[in-house]
Amino acid sequence: MDEKDPITEAQPEGFVEKALNLIERVGNKLPDPAALFLILLFVVWIISWMLSGISFAEIDPRTSKPIVINNLLSGTAIASFLSTMVTTFTSFPPLGVVLVALLGVGVAEHTGFINAALKALLNITAPSLLTPMVIFVGIISHTAVDAGYVLVIPLGGVIFYTAGRHPLAGIAAAFAGVSGGFSANFIPSSLDPLLAGLTQSGAQIIDATRVVNPLSNWYFTAASTIFLVVLGWFVTDRIVEPRLNKTTEVDGDPEEMPKMETLGPKEKKGLIAGLASMALGIAILVALSIPENSMFRSPAGFKITQATVQQLKAEGMPEEGAAKLGPILEQELFGKTALENALKARLGDENAKKFGEAVAKSAEPVAPQLTANTAPLMLSIVPLIFLLFIIPGIVYGYVAGTVSSHREIIAGMSKSMSTMGYYIVLAFFAALFIAAFGQSNLGALIAIKGANALQAMALPPQITIIGIIFLTGFVNLLIGSASAKWALLAPIFVPLLMQLGLSPELAQAAYRIGDSTTNIVTPLMPYFPLVVVFAQRYVKGTGIGTLISVMLPFTVVFMIGWIIFLIVYWALGIPLGLQAPYTYP
């Protein structure tokens, strides 16, 4: 970058900077990320073969049986690996999300719409507020599922570069907000009821009538949003960017860099037209979504309540079967298919068929919703990103005169896809490794052994909470899915804390801290390779070590700061959320 902090440059290297530089050097000496995933795949195969013959005493909470390591080198496993290889790759969650979204974003960037919008934004935003703005937008982007990864993170780099700051600092700030602050948000998301359902299942091991409100952590996650924005602002401006300015030169292709010229008359006219078309599109979407019978709403839902259970008992359901409905009490299940699947999982196929109609009739009806997991609106987030960028991009291009035919629009799409070649290779090997690791059960074994060890220590409640956060953060390095980890850990952590007199809601809040803070330093996180690719646009030599060294300060500060925040929040007695006590019973 041309502009560097002379004070920062004059300072000698301290311990932290030396440590981060060492991490970067060591990390960048690792094999290419694609090759690293391939090596890890072989390692998982070998370890799964070595451990498959061992009988473990640890109980898998998903099956209530001793956990078993699956041998991935058996003939059946190898045949399955080869026969499902293509499906494993094409169904890799980030792949389609990234490619479809970038088709629209690529056009908006090719025509100049994004650059023009950012220039206008920089004209009205104080330079000192760019960092908190990027982090805040990253955090609230969770509402739009994976939009933050494919949209906010690359734009963080563009915004910082256009403002004359180090682009990797902008990418880091956005990544910290999107992923490091994953569990912080003002706006409830589909993650809240998902985790609450798993927490409730764990609580009902001790208390069959215990219900967990889906918004039981809402107040805490909302307050955490402001707290993490402040922490991220400090880390970006005081630690990460000064170090990048001294050690990491921007050497990307000048032709590919965002331009920093002022807006001309045609650009202003095009920007107004493009933003107007975007506003019109959003207005149409809102108008189509508001009606109660909107095509974007989920099917009508069902809520199984205690009254439902009593009615089913009166109709002949045995006590044992009624008890099995405990984990889905008070959950909202949208559509008959979701209800049927939930009943089959709890009661078995025969009883689900026998009592299904009775459950549907006696369950409390739930109105169709826009934010349910199965709502078409939630399932259409990525296509909507595509449309809400490609249409304004095209309008801007024609009005500003940056394009003159449809061929140039197609060229913009092709150009954005040409930059994704390396990511597609990475995604292929990452998808195979992540699938194999999950199938082996190695991650589950590590998680359960760690949780059992923590339980055996019999530590004081506050120390146990901190231990849960650190253990979750470690397990998160290996198992990326928030719901998959909590499905393993909730049946251990929640009853453990309830026996210590602490509530399931507090256990869930602690879990969410550990689940978020280490997302940004694990190459096994599905979007991590994509962030490396975004950074390589500005610094060609960016590798795993570079990104880890940049993000590690966020992880350390977020982890320590968020733990202190939870302890203080708890000490002040501020509610965690709706119907969320700190103690049990």
Side-chain angles (χ1 to χ4, degrees), residues 36-73:
L36 182 61
F37 280 118
L38 179 60
I39 293 168
L40 290 173
L41 175 63
F42 290 138
V43 170
V44 167
W45 281 350
I46 294 169
I47 294 177
S48 72
W49 167 72
M50 293 171 63
L51 298 182
S52 60
I54 299 176
S55 297
F56 293 97
E58 287 77 13
I59 301 299
D60 188 337
R62 300 167 298 183
T63 63
S64 301
K65 297 177 181 178
I67 192 164
V68 175
I69 299 300
N70 298 313
N71 179 10
L72 300 185
L73 288 180

Side-chain angles (χ1 to χ4, degrees), residues 466-529:
I466 295 172
I468 286 173
I469 294 172
F470 279 115
L471 178 60
T472 302
F474 172 73
V475 174
N476 191 45
L477 297 174
L478 305 173
I479 305 175
S481 169
S483 58
K485 280 194 303 297
W486 197 221
L488 288 168
L489 298 176
I492 301 170
F493 286 161
V494 174
L496 166 63
L497 290 181
M498 289 173 73
Q499 289 169 338
L500 294 175
L502 299 180
S503 70
E505 293 80 6
L506 179 58
Q508 180 178 281
Y511 168 78
R512 296 179 80 150
I513 294 174
D515 176 57
S516 297
T517 48
T518 55
N519 278 336
I520 49 182
V521 291
T522 172
L524 304 189
M525 201 268 284
Y527 284 102
F528 194 92

Side-chain angles (χ1 to χ4, degrees), residues 264-322:
K266 284 189 175 181
E267 289 179 306
K268 290 180 181 178
K269 187 177 178 182
L271 180 59
I272 292 171
L275 291 175
S277 67
M278 179 180 281
L280 178 62
I282 293 172
I284 292 173
L285 178 62
V286 171
L288 292 174
S289 301
I290 287 176
E292 292 185 5
N293 62 345
S294 167
M295 63 182 180
F296 287 117
R297 291 183 181 272
S298 68
F302 306 87
K303 182 191 285 187
I304 300 174
T305 63
Q306 288 289 358
T308 306
V309 174
Q310 295 303 321
Q311 178 67 30
L312 292 171
K313 287 181 182 179
E315 295 186 18
M317 177 177 279
E319 189 70 35
E320 182 183 355

Side-chain angles (χ1 to χ4, degrees), residues 246-432:
K246 288 201 296 183
T247 64
T248 308
E249 182 183 356
V250 177
D251 59 359
D253 185 351
E255 295 299 318
E256 299 295 326
M257 295 294 102
K259 302 297 186 292
M260 290 182 282
E261 297 89 352
T262 56
L263 285 175
K266 284 189 175 181
E267 289 179 306
K268 290 180 181 178
K269 187 177 178 182
L271 180 59
I272 292 171
L275 291 175
S277 67
M278 179 180 281
L280 178 62
I282 293 172
I284 292 173
L285 178 62
V286 171
L288 292 174
S289 301
I290 287 176
E292 292 185 5
N293 62 345
S294 167
M295 63 182 180
F296 287 117
R297 291 183 181 272
S298 68
F302 306 87
K303 182 191 285 187
I304 300 174
T305 63
Q306 288 289 358
T308 306
V309 174
Q310 295 303 321
Q311 178 67 30
L312 292 171
K313 287 181 182 179
E315 295 186 18
M317 177 177 279
E319 189 70 35
E320 182 183 355
K324 289 181 179 178
L325 293 175
I328 57 174
L329 279 181
E330 302 300 324
Q331 286 193 33
E332 295 177 344
L333 304 166
F334 292 94
K336 276 220 164 187
T337 301
L339 177 64
E340 290 169 1
N341 290 338
L343 292 178
K344 287 178 182 178
R346 302 309 309 171
L347 304 177
D349 289 351
E350 184 178 341
N351 283 330
K353 187 175 181 180
K354 181 178 179 181
F355 294 103
E357 283 301 319
V359 172
K361 288 179 181 178
S362 57
E364 182 181 314
V366 180
Q369 294 186 10
L370 290 172
T371 55
N373 284 337
T374 55
L377 180 65
M378 291 294 100
L379 299 175
S380 302
I381 291 295
V382 173
L384 288 172
I385 290 174
F386 167 76
L387 292 173
L388 290 175
F389 274 86
I390 194 170
I391 293 173
I394 292 172
V395 170
Y396 173 88
Y398 278 107
V399 173
T402 58
V403 296
S404 57
S405 76
H406 72 280
R407 299 183 188 281
E408 294 176 75
I409 304 299
I410 301 301
M413 289 185 175
S414 302
K415 186 177 180 181
S416 67
M417 288 298 99
S418 69
T419 64
M420 287 291 101
Y422 178 64
Y423 175 69
I424 292 172
V425 174
L426 272 178
F428 175 72
F429 291 108
L432 296 180

Side-chain angles (χ1 to χ4, degrees), residues 139-196:
I139 290 176
I140 63 173
S141 71
H142 307 151
T143 308
V145 196
D146 296 322
Y149 290 101
V150 298
L151 186 60
V152 178
I153 293 175
L155 286 182
V158 174
I159 289 171
F160 269 52
Y161 184 86
T162 306
R165 298 177 60 179
H166 203 293
L168 263 59
I171 288 174
F175 192 20
V178 171
S179 200
F182 183 70
S183 282
N185 206 339
F186 285 112
I187 307 167
S189 70
S190 59
L191 182 66
D192 294 291
L194 183 62
L195 292 183

